Amino acid sequence: DPNSAVIYRFPLRFGCQTKLTGLFKTQLADGIMGMENGKSSFWSQMFSRGNGAMGREMFALCFSRSEDAAREGTSAGALTLGGYDERLHQTPAVFAENLSRKGWYHVYIQNMFLRKGGVAEEDEDDNDDEDGGAKTVELARIELEDILINEGGVIVDSGTTDSYLSSHLAQPFKDAWIAVTGYEPPKNRVSVMLTEKELDALPTVMIQLKGASVELETDPVSSEGLDPAHS
């Protein structure tokens, strides 16, 4: 309710950007709201200066996928401050362990998989086959020891427009890609022409993170049965 927004106001210390470089000159998003685990972050200032408006030291980013982008604005999801909104969820929330007390959010990857099929299969109304049973999920594990996957540390950064993976993953990722698709992935950032059907059928990269060391409800869609050793 916009009429109630005044109760959430708080004094915010912020900096002004005077120069733009790189993608910030061309992409739709032309700035960053700092959300790291630090006293100067937006959510931390709101919690400490907002007179109780933000009930818990928690925020949630729920991303959506828009078919079109416009300078006037494009729906990209929702930011919830003080918790998370279950109305936006299709499955129960699960939590990953944060390995850092402050700064970036460091996580630990236990496994990585490629799942056959992409957006088209995710958008189907149900997860049952024609006989009423659960559909078989076709996965290829990226065969690499977790100590090498996590070498140098892994962070979750919502302000980064790309996902950067360890060079140790190059060959194992290629092997898993071939196992799922039957063909080699493109090399050296070459441009590839794909039909909409081919694009939607690209494999889905699944990353299994180390969970928080508390009793939490599991997520039956994204984790159960994929890796019994780390369920």
Side-chain angles (χ1 to χ4, degrees):
D1 181 3
N3 295 321
S4 301
V6 65
I7 67 175
Y8 298 106
R9 64 183 178 184
F10 65 98
L12 175 68
R13 177 177 293 180
F14 63 95
C16 294
Q17 187 174 5
T18 59
K19 183 179 179 181
L20 288 175
T21 60
L23 290 176
F24 285 114
K25 298 174 67 175
T26 56
Q27 68 184 15
L28 184 59
D30 58 2
I32 290 179
M33 177 186 290
M35 301 296 283
E36 72 169 11
N37 191 12
K39 293 182 179 180
S40 63
S41 66
F42 182 89
W43 68 266
S44 183
Q45 289 192 59
M46 183 177 184
F47 179 79
S48 61
R49 303 178 181 180
N51 298 318
M54 184 173 169
R56 291 180 291 176
E57 292 182 277
M58 180 184 294
F59 69 89
L61 294 171
C62 187
F63 297 104
S64 64
R65 183 172 179 265
S66 179
E67 296 296 332
D68 301 299
R71 278 289 172 190
E72 294 74 20
T74 299
S75 176
L79 166 63
T80 306
L81 295 163
Y84 57 87
D85 190 344
E86 292 183 341
R87 295 173 299 176
L88 303 174
H89 297 178
Q90 294 180 332
T91 61
V94 291
F95 298 84
E97 182 177 356
N98 180 20
L99 304 179
S100 300
R101 289 184 175 272
K102 60 181 180 179
W104 287 330
Y105 298 97
H106 282 84
V107 295
Y108 192 88
I109 297 177
Q110 292 183 317
N111 269 311
M112 292 183 65
F113 303 89
L114 288 184
R115 188 193 70 190
K116 186 175 182 178
V119 174
E121 293 190 10
E122 287 180 354
D123 290 341
E124 291 181 358
D125 293 334
D126 58 68
N127 291 313
D128 296 335
D129 60 20
E130 296 179 355
D131 298 325
K135 288 183 178 178
T136 301
V137 179
E138 189 171 338
L139 297 174
R141 182 177 182 272
I142 299 175
E143 298 290 346
L144 186 67
E145 295 181 14
D146 56 347
I147 191 171
L148 293 177
I149 296 178
N150 293 277
E151 186 177 84
V154 178
I155 66 168
V156 175
D157 181 8
S158 63
T160 302
T161 53
D162 295 304
S163 296
Y164 299 92
L165 304 176
S166 167
S167 58
H168 293 302
L169 283 160
Q171 188 60 47
F173 187 94
K174 178 181 178 180
D175 294 340
W177 179 282
I178 294 174
V180 169
T181 66
Y183 60 88
E184 291 191 5
K187 299 178 181 179
N188 303 323
R189 298 185 178 184
V190 297
S191 298
V192 178
M193 296 293 294
L194 298 173
T195 65
E196 184 175 349
K197 183 177 180 180
E198 290 171 333
L199 179 64
D200 288 343
L202 289 175
T204 300
V205 180
M206 303 182 70
I207 301 175
Q208 183 187 39
L209 303 178
K210 182 180 180 182
S213 56
V214 294
E215 292 295 325
L216 295 171
E217 188 176 9
T218 58
D219 181 345
V221 173
S222 63
S223 62
E224 184 177 356
L226 294 185
D227 179 26
H230 297 99
S231 61

